[in-house]
Amino acid sequence: MGSIKFPVFIQTMVVEAEPNTKLYYPQVTHLPDQVKRKINNVIFQAVEDLYEQQFIEQQATDFAEALGTYEVKLNERHLLSITLSNYSIAPQAANGLTMMDALTFDTKTGKTYTLSDLFQPNSNYVEILSKMIQKQIKDRNIPTIDSFTKILPTQSFYITDKCLILFFQVLDFTPHYVGIPVFPISIFELEEIINDEGPLARLLPTV
């Protein structure tokens, strides 16, 4: 028998750095100390970076309100994929801004996966995924303010049990009212280019 692949335990923490600022974020528990520290440090740094990015994007020195939240998208087969969201609004601003980041970990080693880790070397994953997104933009009638050309090799993503989800920030190429555009892609559509040693391979059915 293989090792039992239980979900990892997650504890919700909160930072209340400023008035009207609450940043909720996850921390993993019940893992070997080295792995736990590795994952938790990456998560906390991402929460801080996302909050700091809000000041830059809004050219603000303080916020009337800032709220950070998270969602667990996958927690199985020694994989943890989470999203971190931050909504902030500057005093007297007409609109606030929501920004999102995502992290995917191997909970046995603490490794943080990048998009390239998911695919075979020289697989042209950027072009393949970009064409899939272009098709979704057309099929879903997603309004755009700039033409979409292709994703970054380091494009933001998260994983669910059967999908790879690529996402973009507000106003990257869609109007503000669209929010954060997300593009789910079935892992079965990507089977030919999936890295056999990467996280997506663990989610494919085994014979």
Side-chain angles (χ1 to χ4, degrees):
M1 291 180 62
S3 61
I4 300 175
K5 301 171 184 177
F6 290 121
V8 298
F9 291 94
I10 294 173
Q11 182 178 6
T12 298
M13 311 294 285
V14 62
V15 173
E16 298 183 66
E18 305 287 343
N20 304 316
T21 295
K22 287 189 177 182
L23 308 177
Y24 295 95
Y25 65 97
Q27 296 277 265
V28 298
T29 64
H30 297 70
L31 289 176
D33 285 346
Q34 185 175 358
V35 174
K36 181 171 61 177
R37 282 195 301 270
K38 198 172 181 180
I39 293 174
N40 286 340
N41 287 344
V42 170
I43 292 173
F44 186 75
Q45 187 63 56
V47 171
E48 284 196 324
D49 290 348
L50 196 61
Y51 182 53
E52 290 300 320
Q53 191 63 28
Q54 285 279 19
F55 288 97
I56 297 170
E57 293 294 328
Q58 299 191 58
Q59 298 181 337
T61 56
D62 63 339
F63 292 116
E65 179 187 5
L67 178 64
T69 58
Y70 74 92
E71 291 184 18
V72 177
K73 300 296 186 178
L74 181 73
N75 187 3
E76 61 179 87
R77 306 191 190 194
H78 301 305
L79 294 172
L80 176 66
S81 193
I82 62 172
T83 58
L84 305 168
S85 295
N86 185 290
Y87 169 80
S88 299
I89 183 167
Q92 284 80 53
N95 295 298
L97 179 66
T98 298
M99 300 186 70
M100 190 163 83
D101 194 6
L103 298 165
T104 298
F105 300 100
D106 183 317
T107 58
K108 288 193 297 184
T109 65
K111 175 181 174 62
T112 305
Y113 290 106
T114 62
L115 188 61
S116 63
D117 293 328
L118 278 53
F119 302 104
Q120 299 167 16
N122 305 313
S123 63
N124 288 328
Y125 72 91
V126 169
E127 288 76 12
I128 292 169
L129 294 174
S130 297
K131 287 179 180 178
M132 290 178 170
I133 290 176
Q134 287 171 341
K135 185 176 187 302
Q136 285 197 35
I137 290 172
K138 181 179 178 181
D139 293 348
R140 293 163 56 190
N141 294 314
I142 297 173
T144 61
I145 53 177
D146 288 308
S147 59
F148 172 80
T149 52
K150 63 180 182 179
I151 65 168
L152 296 171
T154 55
Q155 189 65 46
S156 299
F157 74 94
Y158 58 90
I159 296 172
T160 65
D161 60 344
K162 292 294 182 287
C163 284
L164 166 68
I165 291 88
L166 301 172
F167 66 91
F168 300 81
Q169 299 300 333
V170 175
L171 296 175
D172 272 358
F173 63 89
T174 54
H176 192 281
Y177 67 83
V178 171
I180 293 175
V182 297
F183 297 89
I185 299 171
S186 168
I187 61 173
F188 300 104
E189 294 184 62
L190 302 169
E191 197 164 354
E192 289 186 1
I193 62 169
I194 285 176
N195 181 351
D196 292 338
E197 303 300 320
L200 296 184
R202 298 189 206 174
L203 302 174
L204 291 170
T206 54
V207 178

